[in-house]
Each structure stands twice: as C-alpha cells, then as structure tokens.
Amino acid sequence: MTTPQAPTTFFRSRWVDVPDGVREVPGAPLPQGFRAAGAAAGIKPSGGLDVGLLVSDSEETTSAARFTRSGTAAPPVLVTRDRARLNALKAIAVNSGNANAATGGRGMDEAARMQGAGAMMGRTTEDRVAVCSTGVIGVQLDGHKVVRGLLEAGKALAPEGIDDFQQSIMTTDLFEKRGTIEIDLPGGTVRLAAQSKGAGMIQPSFATMLCFIETDAIVAAETAELLLGVCVKRSFDRITVDGQLSTNDTAILLCGGASGIEVEPESEGELLFGQALDALLRQLAIDICRDGEGAQRVGRVTVRGGHGPNVERVGRAIANSPLVKTALYGGDPNWGRIAQAIGLALPDTAPLAYDIAIEGVQVCVAGNAVGHDEDDIKARVAREEVEYAIGLPGDGFETEVFFSDLGHEYITINAEYTT
C-alpha cells in the first residue's frame, strides 16, 4: 500500500478553484493575534501530543460554529452548543485520543471542567470557550489529565505553537491537514488559516472531523455565521469515507480582527473573503478523503437531474457503495457497480434512463452501454483523482460528493482501533 503523503503545496486538487488575489503562506502560520500550543497529557497510548489550546488575543473576537447532527452527540458538542456564546468564542480547548462520547453525566462534567480550564489559561470567561474531543467512543475521559495538559499548553501559548496544536488534534490521520492563505481585499491584505483532522467515520451531514479556522480580518458575527454555513455545505458536508456519522463533528471560525481590515457585509470584500474561505475548506475536505484510512484515490461524483431528492440520493449511494469504492481502490472502471448503486437509490423506477461518464468518457447513455476505449479509461481511473458524472431524467438540480476508495488498510485500522 502507498501511504498518502502530505502535499508540497496546499492547493493541489483540480476540484478547488483558487480565486485571484489568494496566495498560500509557507509553513501555514497563524494569522496575527492568535496563539496556540499542544501538550502530552497521557491520553494517547503513544504518549504523543493530545491536548491543544488555541486563543485569540482580541476581546472583540467574533465567531461562528457548526456541529454534528448526530442523535448521540458527545458531551463536548453539547456543552459548547448549549453553554457557549457561539458568536463570540475566543478560545478552543481540545483533546484527542478520547472522544468523551457515550459517557453520560460524568462526561458532561468533564467537558465543563475542560471548558473552565480553557477559560483560565485563555484568560477569558467560560462562555467564550469551545471544547472539542476526538478519539475512542465509550471510554470515560480523565479530566484531570486534560486539565494538566491545558495548564501546560496555556504556559506555552505562542504564535508558532500551531505546529504542536495540529499534532495534538490528530488521531488516525497520516498527514497534517492545514493551510494558511493571504487574501487581497479592497481595504488591504488579510490572512486566513485552518487546521483540520479526520480520516475515518466520515459522512455528509456533516463529516466527522474537527476544523478550526482563524482570520485577522474584522468580520461581524452575522457575516461569519453566513459564510461558514455556506462554505461548510460545499466542503465538509460533501465528503464521505465510510458513510458513518460521528458524534463529535465541530467546525469553528474565529475572527480576531488584528489586521484592522474589515470585511463589510454585502460588499466586494465579503465576496472575495467568502471565495477564499470556500477554497480553503474544500481543499481540507478533499484531503480528509485522500487520507481516508488506507485510501489510494479520491473520487468525485456529480449528479444532474430534474428531481432534487433523487439527485442527492444517487450521489450519496454511489459515494458510499462498497462496490464502487473498492473498484476505485483497484483502479477498475467497472461502471456496472455505479449502475447498481443508482438502482439501489431509486427503486421501482425501471426503466430508468440514466447516463454515466467516467473521467469524461461516456460509458452508458439512457441506461444502455456505449462503446469506448477500454485501455484509455483504465489509464484515466489509475490517477489520484477520478470523476464520475451521472445524468438522470430532467434538469434543474445538481449535486456533488467527494469520497475515498475502500481498501485493505481501512479494515486493518478499524478492526484494531481499540486493541
């Protein structure tokens, strides 16, 4: 198996449009006005970094957040969602190695304890601290370890601490998923950075992962809420590794304002900032699929048709089909597996006129096979990124889903996850 490698440049997917006036910043540093740190608290058996703290120094920091829709959402999600000011978050306390999920009242207490320690070390109030956890479900979190880790991280807070912070949030990730960009706005240049983790238990609605985004632009809370919501729908809500919905999904945008440059609502600056945020999050989302616990390739399926719910059902059925995903893993252009996934998504609709194209090669029209160059299509599906285009009857609706393949290593990782 070939191990996924960290990209040498951040933007590398053909499915991400990088706007003019956006530049990658080498080393993925934090924007001005932010500090971070990571600590080893003994939660991970490996002894690696497992507690992180991220802080904005500005009292005027605004924010926005999105969380898992899971009916079994973990205590950190519930505590943050219910007890924090989601439009004015200033600090994020996070641990990896233990999800603090399915842990009942004690889990709620430990999440609250974590929030308190984060507030103390971030020099703010508890209602301005988000708490996040990721790792094994159903194991009580040792809050004393987390607090000790946060105390250590708090003493080490620094702009360059983002390297350790990134390591502290990772679990089965094989490479770091983070980037920093500069954006030229009408009022000047601002920075936007993001750190993410995620490789398994990934499914739209939205995908399991943690993602923390920071900017030194001045952004009103209402604008941050609008932009994060739109961009999450086009990124983390569009990916799947294994069709599983996590208990701990969290995405948070912090706007510190240290640059002094404002993103004014309904302005050209808002449009440019939103386009940059969209590109940043889409690349991170695709990287999560690329790292999909043993994945070799990333697929993108686009579906067009005249009935919105059917378009969405077909997209997700194809992206989550074990048969399609194993074919992608093996570089096998077996489009019959795509046809069966369409039929599974739309039962009792035969005869259904559907079209299938793989990497621009038409293989099926109106439900009938068409001739094509087999050697050519085999070469196309051997690439790192493979695109599938599906046409259903009618017009007016379109969707996309990014997905990883499914191979031997995924079974190994998840069969031995707690052992």
Side-chain angles (χ1 to χ4, degrees):
M1 184 197 76
T2 301
T3 300
Q5 299 297 311
T8 54
T9 59
F10 179 72
F11 291 116
R12 67 166 181 161
S13 174
R14 59 179 164 141
W15 298 316
V16 178
D17 295 324
V18 183
D20 293 336
V22 168
R23 297 173 299 280
E24 300 176 28
V25 181
L30 282 168
Q32 58 180 319
F34 289 89
R35 294 176 295 144
I43 301 171
K44 288 179 178 175
S46 67
L49 299 174
D50 49 23
V51 171
L53 184 62
L54 174 67
V55 174
S56 170
D57 291 329
S58 172
E59 290 299 320
E60 307 304 317
T61 301
T62 60
S63 63
R66 289 292 183 275
F67 303 98
T68 181
R69 295 174 58 195
S70 171
T72 56
V77 171
L78 300 178
V79 166
T80 303
R81 192 183 65 193
D82 298 340
R83 301 183 186 180
R85 295 164 56 197
L86 300 182
N87 63 352
L89 296 171
K90 189 173 179 290
I92 299 169
V94 58
N95 77 271
S96 59
N98 186 317
N100 191 13
T103 47
R106 179 179 165 188
M108 293 291 290
D109 291 342
E110 297 297 6
R113 185 203 304 261
M114 191 171 172
Q115 189 178 41
M120 179 174 65
M121 300 313 294
R123 297 185 179 181
T124 188
T125 55
E126 291 185 6
D127 63 354
R128 301 196 72 181
V129 178
V131 290
C132 304
S133 299
T134 182
V136 178
I137 294 171
V139 177
Q140 289 290 345
L141 179 66
D142 187 336
H144 295 288
K145 288 184 177 180
V146 176
V147 169
R148 286 197 298 270
L150 288 172
L151 293 177
E152 181 181 338
K155 295 174 184 177
L157 283 170
E160 59 272 17
I162 194 60
D163 295 345
D164 285 349
F165 178 84
Q166 175 70 47
Q167 289 295 316
S168 75
I169 70 175
M170 294 166 63
T171 51
T172 60
D173 304 70
L174 293 179
F175 60 85
E176 294 184 352
K177 304 170 185 71
R178 60 175 175 142
T180 300
I181 56 178
E182 290 183 337
I183 314 158
D184 293 332
L185 301 180
T189 300
V190 301
R191 280 192 175 183
L192 183 65
Q195 308 81 39
S196 185
K197 64 81 54 181
M201 202 183 291
I202 303 287
Q203 156 76 340
S205 186
F206 61 88
T208 182
M209 48 105 231
L210 301 179
C211 184
F212 309 119
I213 312 145
E214 311 85 33
T215 183
D216 54 18
I218 300 171
V219 185
E222 296 81 3
T223 302
E225 172 72 16
L226 171 66
L227 293 179
L228 182 64
V230 170
C231 293
V232 162
K233 287 182 182 297
R234 284 178 38 84
S235 56
F236 301 123
D237 199 28
R238 295 289 93 203
I239 61 175
T240 181
V241 167
D242 45 26
Q244 306 305 301
L245 179 62
S246 169
T247 54
N248 292 62
D249 305 343
T250 304
I252 297 172
L253 169 62
L254 300 178
C255 309
S259 69
I261 298 168
E262 184 175 1
V263 176
E264 298 182 1
E266 301 182 4
S267 67
E268 180 186 1
E270 181 187 55
L271 176 62
L272 294 173
F273 186 86
Q275 290 173 339
L277 177 63
D278 180 66
L280 182 69
L281 298 193
R282 278 173 71 86
Q283 183 62 62
L284 286 173
I286 293 169
D287 281 347
I288 288 174
C289 287
R290 193 181 305 279
D291 193 14
E293 293 187 336
Q296 300 286 296
R297 298 181 176 87
V298 181
R300 176 186 184 235
V301 55
T302 62
V303 186
R304 298 177 178 85
H307 187 265
N310 284 355
V311 165
E312 186 67 20
R313 288 189 195 103
V314 167
R316 296 196 181 202
I318 292 170
N320 281 324
S321 166
L323 293 177
V324 174
K325 293 164 79 68
T326 50
L328 177 62
Y329 178 85
D332 181 1
N334 183 355
W335 63 268
R337 295 181 169 187
I338 300 171
Q340 67 80 28
I342 296 171
L344 174 67
L346 304 177
D348 303 319
T349 58
L352 179 67
Y354 59 92
D355 303 334
I356 301 174
I358 303 176
E359 279 296 305
V361 177
Q362 204 73 42
V363 296
C364 179
V365 174
N368 297 292
V370 296
H372 55 274
D373 187 327
E374 292 286 348
D375 291 335
D376 176 54
I377 199 170
K378 285 180 181 178
R380 291 171 184 253
V381 299
R383 301 167 182 166
E384 278 192 357
E385 296 183 340
V386 180
E387 181 150 322
Y388 307 84
I390 313 300
L392 299 176
D395 295 300
F397 295 92
E398 181 176 350
T399 196
E400 66 177 346
V401 182
F402 300 99
F403 62 101
S404 65
D405 59 28
L406 181 61
H408 311 284
E409 189 67 14
Y410 180 88
I411 304 299
T412 300
I413 290 172
N414 286 281
E416 302 172 356
Y417 191 73
T418 63
T419 58

